[in-house]
Amino acid sequence: MVSSSYTRVGGLYDTGFRHDPGNPLESLADYCLGCYTNLNLSSRVDLLEQHIREYKADGLLINSIKSCNSFSAGQLLMLRELEKRTGVPGGFIESDLVDPRYFGKANIENRIQSYLQMLDARKNRRQA
Amino acid sequence: MKCVVGIDLGSTTTKAVLLDETGQLMGRGITNSRSNYGVACAVAREEALTAARFTQLQRAIAALDISDSSAIKALTEPLQKAFRLELYLEELVSLKEEILKILDAPYMKDYRQPLGEAAEAILEDMRKDAPKLFLGSAPRRSDFFRDIAGAAFTEGAERLAQEKGLPFERLLGLFDRAILDVETRLQPRNFGELLLRGAQWLTSAETANEQGNGRGKIRNRLVDLIEQVAKTPIEEIAFVGTGYGRQTLPFPKDSIRSEILCHGRGAHRVFPGTRTVLDIGGQDTKAIQVDGHGVVTSFQMNDRCAAGCGRYLGYIADELNLGLHELGPLALGAKKKVKVNSTCTVFAGAELRERLALGQRREDILAGLHRAIMLRAMSLLARSGGIDNEFTFTGGVCKNPMATKILGELVQENYGADIALNIHPDSIYMGALGGALFALDDVKEGRAGILPGFAKKEVSS
């Protein structure tokens, strides 16, 4: 794993954002306006595209969280758009962080395994 | 002869496919998955091996360059029936052994004699009825021993319990206990021996109504061919396992392929124009996109909940006291489609009863249920990237005529009339076929996985 959007919920530190203890309210406002979950979909896509290219990622795996709309809304649209722009195949799994009814271990393992094998198969096909 | 094997361990049935080195289908086998994937796997493989032997026999007959080869060819179908009969008789012997073992238990002391006599009488009748069952022309409802023997034993138990005043439940209980051990007992088959025994059925049946003396010659030639085929070793040079239960078996890690890859590959092999695959099985639904080589490019599957899968139709059939295969044809008689709110398997029965209580027709409700399932599949397809021409529908649910009819309508409604919809009667084998094709790749790439002591391990598990 080379990059993750989840780590940008606390702020886009990699693009230079820092909390300023001298200006707490202003920097908090800055943070709120710029953190990942407050970006619109096209800005999120731009950001993820940049990461895919920068790290030369082989794939993009999205974990949809049933009870977190601020993360999960529009994820399939973003996935398709990123596939179109970068040619990197996306994978999709669904679970939840609070509600165990939405978590099925066998199902998630199956999807991740299928996704990784799909990446391998596509790589082999390109080399052949 | 060298061949590769693909095994698909489904939640309901286990399938095996054998291909020769050129990728031609040699044989395939299917069995119920029971509670023991290890045994199911070995049985499906044994079935596929048997089918491969028959393919060899057919090839040997086709290669005969003699005037009476057509007379021999005509015997292959009755020969297969006779082979099934011999297998059944062998399994009946195992069944009897297991039942006698159960009767030996101390708690059976008071019932040992009456139940034992009744069970032996039932089994003897089953043995006598077997030739009629297998050699006749009427198709059997099931090929699984559990189903065929179960139906016959229940019938006999009902009759004897009434005639002799025996406890029916206890009598049938003998079968229910014994069948578990019969099914998990693995007997390696001797193809040549079984088939030669089968050939005896054949000739004695035919000498009764045939005159002329060419028969003896044909029989001798057939026996020669059988011996020749039985002597040719079948060597399994590669193996791939897939399906729901693949993780629970001691398959080497490199020999496991995801069922999504296998279903995509298998569907593409049978219909090379395939770009989108929908698979609705017992436990899950998959929407798969493949490229021109059958390689998966994108997929979606249902989340944890099995709503709208084959199991859902199973519950509905139970609720209506119908067989699973009767649902589709009944729904075809609908005058309208009742709007159904839930594809949830748990709520299915409640919603069904509520609709019936409101006075709606069974056919119309069923039509609505089928539509609800297919709408769910359409949403999964859309999420996976939509439907591209050609579109192939696989899995157990594609045998349901109402499901395929509604799918066709929805595809036309949403994607236009230019999409070809492919459905194959043998689509239940697509996953195992894809597995076997991956095994063939492994051979070419020099990394074939084969199970050391495969059959042996199954027996002990």
Side-chain angles (χ1 to χ4, degrees):
Chain A
M1 179 119 61
V2 289
S3 178
S4 145
S5 58
Y6 199 59
T7 54
R8 269 79 184 179
V9 178
L12 299 183
Y13 300 106
D14 47 341
T15 59
F17 171 78
R18 292 291 181 276
H19 285 284
D20 178 6
N23 270 321
L25 290 178
E26 287 83 349
S27 78
L28 192 60
D30 254 359
Y31 156 74
C32 287
L33 289 171
C35 77
Y36 180 82
T37 36
N38 287 342
L39 296 180
N40 64 19
L41 292 192
S42 66
S43 310
R44 291 188 200 188
V45 170
D46 290 343
L47 184 76
L48 291 173
E49 182 190 357
Q50 190 192 324
H51 284 289
I52 290 170
R53 294 197 192 283
E54 192 174 323
Y55 290 100
K56 297 188 173 63
D58 297 311
L60 166 78
L61 189 62
I62 291 183
N63 187 1
S64 173
I65 305 289
K66 289 253 183 197
S67 55
C68 182
N69 273 323
S70 55
F71 241 102
S72 302
Q75 276 181 328
L76 271 168
L77 280 173
M78 288 164 54
L79 181 93
R80 294 286 162 248
E81 179 62 22
L82 282 163
E83 279 185 333
K84 209 162 76 191
R85 287 196 199 173
T86 62
V88 165
F92 200 75
I93 55 177
E94 288 151 293
S95 67
D96 202 77
L97 356 103
V98 285
D99 191 340
R101 288 176 304 174
Y102 287 122
F103 179 76
K105 188 165 182 284
N107 184 289
I108 289 185
E109 274 178 357
N110 191 2
R111 285 206 225 181
I112 293 179
Q113 192 185 45
S114 299
Y115 178 63
L116 294 177
Q117 289 185 1
M118 178 184 98
L119 292 185
D120 275 347
R122 290 181 59 155
K123 205 183 266 178
N124 290 342
R125 174 56 61 192
R126 269 201 307 277
Q127 280 161 5
Chain B
M1 200 196 71
K2 289 178 177 169
C3 64
V4 296
V5 193
I7 293 183
D8 180 4
L9 297 140
S11 61
T12 320
T13 53
T14 295
K15 285 78 66 178
V17 163
L18 240 79
L19 301 178
D20 69 12
E21 272 183 299
T22 64
Q24 290 300 304
L25 178 71
M26 288 301 291
R28 44 181 206 202
I30 183 167
T31 186
N32 44 334
S33 290
R34 316 174 166 90
S35 51
N36 189 329
Y37 281 124
V39 174
C41 186
V43 171
R45 177 165 157 260
E46 193 75 53
E47 287 287 340
L49 271 170
T50 299
R53 288 291 185 196
F54 276 108
T55 306
Q56 282 183 310
L57 188 64
Q58 262 160 352
R59 285 183 183 178
I61 291 171
L64 281 182
D65 190 21
I66 47 169
S67 57
D68 48 9
S69 69
S70 65
I72 298 184
K73 204 181 274 175
L75 291 178
T76 47
E77 204 199 309
L79 201 57
Q80 292 202 23
K81 287 182 176 175
F83 183 83
R84 290 279 145 210
L85 169 61
E86 282 298 329
L87 274 183
Y88 180 76
L89 291 173
E90 227 174 44
E91 283 181 299
L92 276 185
V93 173
S94 306
L95 183 63
K96 186 172 171 181
E97 282 170 18
E98 294 300 336
I99 286 180
L100 292 180
K101 251 191 246 167
I102 294 166
L103 284 167
D104 265 345
Y107 69 90
M108 279 286 182
K109 196 163 58 83
D110 299 340
Y111 296 96
R112 191 168 299 145
Q113 210 211 342
L115 284 190
E117 279 172 11
E120 288 200 38
I122 295 171
L123 289 167
E124 181 56 23
D125 283 345
M126 284 164 75
R127 196 181 63 77
K128 281 189 198 142
D129 289 341
K132 206 166 60 210
L133 199 63
F134 282 84
L135 303 181
S137 52
R140 284 185 310 282
R141 280 211 171 164
S142 166
D143 283 328
F144 300 153
F145 179 72
R146 167 188 278 271
D147 298 340
I148 308 172
F153 197 96
T154 309
E155 207 184 290
E158 263 169 6
R159 189 165 37 82
L160 274 185
Q162 211 168 29
E163 275 172 23
K164 308 213 161 148
L166 293 168
F168 169 72
E169 295 291 330
R170 226 173 247 279
L171 193 50
L172 192 62
L174 288 177
F175 175 83
D176 290 341
R177 286 264 326 267
I179 190 69
L180 295 175
D181 292 316
V182 175
E183 280 196 324
T184 45
R185 189 200 275 196
L186 268 184
Q187 284 168 326
R189 284 179 197 166
N190 187 328
F191 177 80
E193 202 179 281
L194 275 169
L195 197 53
L196 288 176
R197 246 192 284 153
Q200 282 170 1
W201 283 104
L202 190 79
T203 44
S204 59
E206 255 135 12
T207 40
N209 52 25
E210 283 277 346
Q211 310 96 353
N213 44 19
R215 284 279 144 189
K217 207 172 73 192
I218 288 170
R219 193 179 56 199
N220 288 343
R221 198 164 274 154
L222 188 64
V223 167
D224 282 349
L225 281 175
I226 292 171
E227 281 172 347
Q228 176 199 321
V229 165
K231 258 190 287 185
T232 317
I234 291 186
E235 192 194 343
E236 294 163 324
I237 53 170
F239 158 88
V240 159
T242 186
Y244 199 72
R246 65 185 184 276
Q247 310 284 19
T248 58
L249 273 180
F251 290 172
K253 193 167 158 281
D254 291 341
S255 296
I256 297 175
R257 289 295 194 295
S258 135
E259 66 233 51
I260 289 177
L261 268 74
C262 290
H263 276 280
R265 184 92 186 259
H268 183 268
R269 156 77 184 257
V270 177
F271 298 105
T274 300
R275 289 299 176 273
T276 304
V277 183
L278 172 67
D279 178 86
I280 308 186
Q283 201 73 357
D284 53 33
T285 304
K286 309 173 196 83
I288 308 168
Q289 310 287 346
V290 297
D291 66 13
H293 303 280
V295 176
V296 176
T297 56
S298 163
F299 68 87
Q300 285 286 326
M301 62 185 285
N302 62 300
D303 54 17
R304 182 184 187 182
C305 162
C309 299
R311 194 72 70 215
Y312 170 82
L313 286 175
Y315 278 116
I316 296 290
D318 284 351
E319 195 72 36
L320 289 172
N321 231 338
L322 291 169
L324 192 54
H325 60 282
E326 294 170 289
L327 279 189
L330 188 64
L332 284 175
K335 293 206 174 74
K336 59 171 184 165
K337 296 185 187 84
V338 169
K339 190 167 180 300
V340 172
N341 297 320
S342 172
T343 47
C344 172
T345 306
V346 180
F347 291 142
E351 178 143 8
L352 180 68
R353 282 190 297 274
E354 194 185 308
R355 300 276 172 195
L356 286 171
L358 286 171
Q360 281 163 325
R361 292 174 70 229
R362 262 194 333 177
E363 292 84 347
D364 298 346
I365 302 170
L366 278 179
L369 290 169
H370 281 79
R371 186 176 159 83
I373 294 180
M374 295 329 278
L375 277 173
R376 199 166 181 275
M378 288 300 285
S379 111
L380 211 58
L381 280 160
R383 293 171 61 169
S384 78
I387 296 177
D388 263 344
N389 199 26
E390 296 168 11
F391 175 42
T392 301
F393 182 26
T394 68
V397 176
C398 82
K399 285 191 178 157
N400 180 317
M402 188 60 172
T404 56
K405 179 172 175 267
I406 292 179
L407 181 65
E409 290 166 8
L410 287 172
V411 169
Q412 186 162 355
E413 222 170 274
N414 292 283
Y415 296 91
D418 296 335
I419 305 276
L421 175 59
N422 301 321
I423 297 159
H424 198 276
D426 294 333
S427 71
I428 197 164
Y429 289 101
M430 298 278 184
L433 173 62
L437 288 168
F438 278 115
L440 208 56
D441 284 354
D442 288 352
V443 172
K444 282 174 195 152
E445 286 155 23
R447 53 186 180 102
I450 195 80
L451 291 174
F454 181 42
K456 231 179 194 170
K457 251 182 204 159
E458 310 316 333
V459 180
S460 60
S461 67

